[in-house]
Amino acid sequence: METQQQLDNFQARIDAGEKIEPKDWMPDRYRQQIIRMGSQHAHSEIVGMLPEGNWIGRAPSLKRKLVLLAKVQDEAGHGLYLYSAIETLGVSRADLIDQYLYGSAKYSSIFNYPTLSYADVCVIGWLVDGAAIVNQTKLAQSSYGPYSRANIRICREESFHKKQGYEMVAKLASGTPAQRKMVQDAVNRFWWPTLMMFGPSDSDSPNSAELIKWKVKLNTNDELRQHFIDRTVMEAEAVNITLPDPDLKFNQETGHWDYGDIPWDEFWDVVQGNGVMNRERMKARREAHENGAWVRKAAQAYARKKKLSREQAS
Amino acid sequence: MSTDTLTTQKAFLKYLLRLADDRLILGQRVSEWCGHGPVLEEDLALANIALDLIGHSSALYAYAAQIEDKGHDDDYFAYFRDDYEFTNLQLCELPKGDFGFTIARHFLFSSFSYYQYELLKNAKDEQFRGMINKHLKEIKYHLRHSRDWVLRLGDGTEESHERIQNAFDEVWMYVDELFYTDDVDEIMIASGNGADVNSFKDDWKKFVEDTLTEATLTIPDWDQYMISGSRNGMHTEHLGLILTQLQFLRRSHPEADWK
């Protein structure tokens, strides 16, 4: 049973900017929130390998193939750091994976959109990784130590991905008519889903207040979304890309860009499993997991045998 | 008078392309695992191996372009040649199969590459030698990775034993080609830039046999029917489909800059 004194002490540590470490006392609800958020983040990295992985085989130059492979490999690495960070709270990676493959755990809906052209992976690098950095830079300051440190590492790699994506977007945008068409089409399809990555508006985000109180999150979804839009509008202009929102207007009073209505119906639809690629993504991940079961079993059996023979020898 | 005398320059070009084609095609195959591995650590490892292989092919192609001296670049060889112009081993183009097949194939290829590169690391040509020495470090890691998995799968569970045994049985008829040689090799060896693969054939076979034995596996018959012809452009039908995927975008927009 958590006492008020424990909760007050915990809040005082948070307010003083201290990091919470695995063996420290923490409210059960805090533990649950970190597990929920962190594992959702980890699952997203793993599912996120699929849309970009779709273009590794078709990348248009050896250099671009290497860049893309390295990027997708980084996402697997991020998944690994995050699972390890969350495992410090006493849950196993195997259980977390079961919860998203067969249970109700979620991953970011952005990965339920298909990558229809090579320009899509460039735009994902620019917009999706760009949005992820805005989120993760803040999460790198979050109160739970292991999660915060995992995000610091992730951010370094994500900024590199974003630069590569933006560089390629700029190249396509100043390329042949076919390349320009390809990249504008990709931006048109990914713009709104990217804005949705920050989550529902603050008024519709049930977990936000609690997460902010505990400094798991430091900003509201809307604040982060605005920050991303302000930055991206200028980047788009610099490379002659049109963002598909006729209502984008600079607001002199607020100093921010005003934007049009986000299609939240689509967001909730995709969250509930009804996007173009939702079923495909889950199917691909389940198949990988199930087809790999015999490999994992063999590795365990072999390790047991080796341990036994070492024990018998000593 | 023969119109196709093989000059040292042409032999070098062909030699580099054979090495590069093996690595590009196998790298393309291994990269298919990305996002679909049996465990997260293997997603990382296999992506890493694919990265190395494709990176090696790119360096070898770039040098081939330099030797050829016709204004081509690395991408030219990867993207603008047809099936029959590729000289990779059929071993490298076979579908990735299950994890056991991928491992069995990679163990055979990386162990062979290890012995081959151990000889090539002393090549006379400085630029070639530099490349080989750099790549050899990575090949050692690939060999350790695949050998460890041969042992784990062979001596793991009944199912894994059966799967990896089947994989070796299936892939066995493609191994003889690793030791194929012709006048390209002769010229390269004579010029101090080639590896005499037959000089290590017995050592390689012993290494493979020892590993399979340690993994409690049965060594398939070395004297069974073995396919041949890859180095002169003979392939399975799988290669055409790999190239369809690999080359489609680049060939659809040949005038565009994708670098």
Side-chain angles (χ1 to χ4, degrees), chain A residues 46 49-50 53-67 69-80 83 93 97 117-119 167-168 171-172 176-179 182 284-285 287-289 291-299 301-306, chain B residues 24 27-28 31 34-52 54-55 57-58 61 74-75 78-79 98-101 148-149 151-157 159-161 163-164 214 242 244-250 253 255-259:
Chain A
I46 302 306
M49 295 171 75
L50 298 173
N54 180 34
W55 281 89
I56 291 171
R58 290 175 287 174
S61 70
L62 292 176
K63 179 183 156 189
R64 293 295 153 192
K65 192 189 284 288
L66 291 169
V67 165
L69 242 176
K71 187 191 168 189
V72 179
Q73 188 197 22
D74 281 349
E75 313 295 355
H78 298 172
L80 207 54
Y83 282 127
R93 195 207 305 179
I97 288 177
S117 79
Y118 173 72
E167 180 214 342
M168 202 55 203
K171 192 175 200 61
L172 296 179
T176 64
Q179 285 177 310
M182 210 181 267
R285 288 308 309 159
E287 273 174 10
H289 188 70
N291 293 341
W294 69 273
V295 178
R296 296 190 298 274
K297 275 186 203 144
Y302 182 75
R304 268 197 306 274
K305 283 186 197 173
K306 286 287 132 183
Chain B
L24 173 65
Q28 180 87 358
S31 75
C34 200
H36 306 277
V39 61
L40 199 42
E41 283 79 355
E42 283 310 302
D43 266 310
L44 282 160
L46 292 171
N48 206 45
I49 290 168
L51 263 173
D52 290 342
I54 296 166
S57 79
S58 165
Y61 282 137
D74 55 344
D75 284 347
Y79 288 90
D98 67 4
F99 185 73
F101 186 84
D148 285 352
W149 272 111
L151 298 179
R152 279 187 207 115
L153 298 180
D155 196 14
T157 63
E159 182 182 4
S160 70
H161 177 90
R163 282 182 183 254
I164 188 85
E214 190 183 336
I242 295 180
T244 304
Q245 186 191 41
L246 193 147
Q247 299 177 334
F248 127 81
L249 179 58
R250 184 62 177 267
H253 306 276
E255 73 293 355
D257 175 12
W258 300 102
K259 278 272 185 177

Side-chain angles (χ1 to χ4, degrees), chain A residues 110-121:
Chain A
I110 192 73
F111 302 118
N112 288 321
Y113 291 85
T115 49
L116 301 182
S117 79
Y118 173 72
D120 287 21
V121 299

Side-chain angles (χ1 to χ4, degrees), chain A residues 187-204:
Chain A
V187 171
N188 294 350
R189 281 182 287 111
F190 276 95
W191 175 250
W192 293 107
T194 303
L195 295 188
M196 297 175 205
M197 280 174 68
F198 295 95
S201 267
D202 301 333
S203 49
D204 297 319

Side-chain angles (χ1 to χ4, degrees), chain B:
Chain B
M1 193 182 93
S2 166
T3 52
D4 56 351
T5 320
L6 194 60
T7 60
T8 310
Q9 182 207 16
K10 275 189 190 157
F12 208 160
L13 174 63
K14 284 192 170 190
Y15 200 73
L16 289 168
L17 291 179
R18 287 175 181 181
L19 288 172
D21 288 349
D22 283 348
R23 285 153 183 82
L24 173 65
I25 300 301
L26 184 55
Q28 180 87 358
R29 275 292 184 229
V30 176
S31 75
E32 290 172 13
W33 280 101
C34 200
H36 306 277
V39 61
L40 199 42
E41 283 79 355
E42 283 310 302
D43 266 310
L44 282 160
L46 292 171
N48 206 45
I49 290 168
L51 263 173
D52 290 342
L53 288 167
I54 296 166
H56 298 178
S57 79
S58 165
L60 291 160
Y61 282 137
Y63 196 39
Q66 201 178 314
I67 300 271
E68 186 197 36
D69 199 23
K70 284 188 181 167
H72 291 140
D73 63 359
D74 55 344
D75 284 347
Y76 168 78
F77 295 112
Y79 288 90
F80 295 99
R81 287 183 304 148
D82 290 328
D83 314 21
Y84 59 89
E85 295 171 290
F86 271 77
T87 53
N88 62 278
L89 297 166
Q90 293 178 36
L91 175 74
C92 298
E93 71 203 33
L94 299 172
K96 77 182 202 306
D98 67 4
F99 185 73
F101 186 84
T102 285
I103 289 299
R105 180 215 336 244
H106 214 83
F107 170 68
L108 295 167
F109 182 78
S110 59
S111 55
F112 172 83
S113 301
Y114 169 73
Y115 280 103
Q116 186 186 27
Y117 275 50
E118 276 290 331
L119 293 179
L120 291 176
K121 75 178 184 189
N122 300 313
K124 267 192 183 163
D125 184 283
E126 195 185 340
Q127 198 171 333
F128 183 49
R129 188 174 66 234
M131 211 179 281
I132 293 295
N133 277 285
K134 186 167 175 275
H135 299 172
L136 179 57
K137 287 185 195 131
E138 292 166 351
I139 290 170
K140 285 180 187 168
Y141 159 74
H142 301 176
L143 175 55
R144 200 176 69 211
H145 173 264
S146 59
R147 186 176 181 279
D148 285 352
W149 272 111
V150 169
L151 298 179
R152 279 187 207 115
L153 298 180
D155 196 14
T157 63
E158 208 173 305
E159 182 182 4
S160 70
H161 177 90
E162 194 184 321
R163 282 182 183 254
I164 188 85
Q165 181 69 58
N166 288 344
F168 276 112
D169 292 345
E170 197 183 321
V171 83
W172 212 250
M173 72 167 182
Y174 296 92
V175 299
D176 200 45
E177 277 209 308
L178 289 163
F179 294 93
Y180 168 85
T181 59
D182 58 15
D183 49 352
V184 172
D185 299 83
E186 283 166 26
I187 293 174
M188 288 299 286
I189 293 166
S191 69
N193 288 313
D196 179 1
V197 292
N198 284 302
S199 70
F200 61 74
K201 191 171 182 178
D202 289 344
D203 290 344
W204 175 80
K205 278 172 91 167
K206 183 169 185 314
F207 175 76
V208 169
E209 287 178 356
D210 287 350
T211 304
L212 265 63
T213 305
E214 190 183 336
T216 73
L217 294 166
T218 307
I219 299 150
D221 182 7
W222 290 108
D223 294 326
Q224 66 176 283
Y225 167 73
M226 294 279 175
I227 60 92
S228 60
S230 306
R231 294 305 189 198
N232 294 303
M234 178 53 74
H235 294 287
T236 66
E237 290 172 355
H238 300 298
L239 181 65
L241 293 171
I242 295 180
L243 296 182
T244 304
Q245 186 191 41
L246 193 147
Q247 299 177 334
F248 127 81
L249 179 58
R250 184 62 177 267
R251 287 209 189 192
S252 304
H253 306 276
E255 73 293 355
D257 175 12
W258 300 102
K259 278 272 185 177

Side-chain angles (χ1 to χ4, degrees), chain A residues 4-285:
Chain A
Q4 191 55 44
Q5 186 60 44
Q6 282 173 317
L7 288 169
D8 290 346
N9 289 346
F10 181 78
Q11 191 63 47
R13 290 191 63 197
I14 298 276
D15 293 343
E18 284 180 41
K19 290 278 183 248
I20 307 302
E21 296 300 336
K23 288 183 178 158
D24 296 350
W25 186 88
M26 64 188 82
D28 193 48
R29 177 82 186 148
Y30 176 87
R31 181 186 300 272
Q32 293 315 320
Q33 285 285 26
I34 298 283
I35 292 174
R36 183 189 63 83
M37 233 176 99
S39 62
Q40 192 168 311
H41 190 173
H43 306 328
S44 301
E45 298 282 358
I46 302 306
V47 179
M49 295 171 75
L50 298 173
E52 291 179 280
N54 180 34
W55 281 89
I56 291 171
R58 290 175 287 174
S61 70
L62 292 176
K63 179 183 156 189
R64 293 295 153 192
K65 192 189 284 288
L66 291 169
V67 165
L68 188 55
L69 242 176
K71 187 191 168 189
V72 179
Q73 188 197 22
D74 281 349
E75 313 295 355
H78 298 172
L80 207 54
Y81 312 153
L82 289 164
Y83 282 127
S84 306
I86 304 313
E87 280 186 311
T88 59
L89 291 171
V91 279
S92 74
R93 195 207 305 179
D95 288 343
L96 294 172
I97 288 177
D98 271 354
Q99 283 164 20
Y100 100 88
L101 290 181
Y102 308 104
S104 60
K106 299 281 185 214
Y107 57 88
S108 176
S109 284
I110 192 73
F111 302 118
N112 288 321
Y113 291 85
T115 49
L116 301 182
S117 79
Y118 173 72
D120 287 21
V121 299
C122 309
V123 167
I124 287 177
W126 173 39
L127 295 180
V128 175
D129 286 59
I133 292 168
V134 169
N135 267 328
Q136 289 161 356
T137 310
K138 298 295 174 185
L139 293 174
Q141 300 161 35
S142 98
S143 60
Y144 186 59
Y147 187 52
S148 136
R149 290 187 288 273
N151 275 292
I152 291 174
R153 235 174 123 175
I154 290 171
C155 278
R156 286 195 198 119
E157 292 174 357
E158 296 284 24
S159 350
F160 192 58
H161 298 165
K162 191 210 150 180
K163 276 184 202 139
Q164 285 171 333
Y166 185 57
E167 180 214 342
M168 202 55 203
V169 165
K171 192 175 200 61
L172 296 179
S174 62
T176 64
Q179 285 177 310
R180 289 202 295 275
K181 189 175 163 198
M182 210 181 267
V183 71
Q184 183 62 56
D185 176 69
V187 171
N188 294 350
R189 281 182 287 111
F190 276 95
W191 175 250
W192 293 107
T194 303
L195 295 188
M196 297 175 205
M197 280 174 68
F198 295 95
S201 267
D202 301 333
S203 49
D204 297 319
S205 178
N207 293 302
S208 265
E210 190 177 55
L211 292 172
I212 287 173
K213 179 182 83 178
W214 281 330
K215 293 191 184 169
V216 176
K217 278 171 70 164
L218 283 93
N219 299 79
T220 68
N221 296 346
D222 285 332
E223 283 167 359
L224 294 173
R225 187 168 15 246
Q226 185 67 58
H227 176 70
F228 172 78
I229 291 171
D230 290 347
R231 228 171 61 167
T232 309
V233 169
M234 284 180 284
E235 289 171 351
E237 272 176 5
V239 294
N240 290 320
I241 289 281
T242 309
L243 297 175
D245 177 2
D247 297 326
L248 265 179
K249 245 192 293 305
F250 188 72
N251 184 327
Q252 295 288 352
E253 273 174 42
T254 60
H256 295 293
W257 286 82
D258 291 339
Y259 51 95
D261 290 333
I262 295 177
W264 289 115
D265 287 350
E266 177 184 312
F267 174 79
W268 292 115
D269 225 18
V270 179
V271 167
Q272 277 148 30
N274 295 323
V276 179
M277 294 299 287
N278 291 50
R279 287 171 180 81
E280 296 274 344
R281 297 288 186 240
M282 286 310 288
K283 189 165 163 251
R285 288 308 309 159

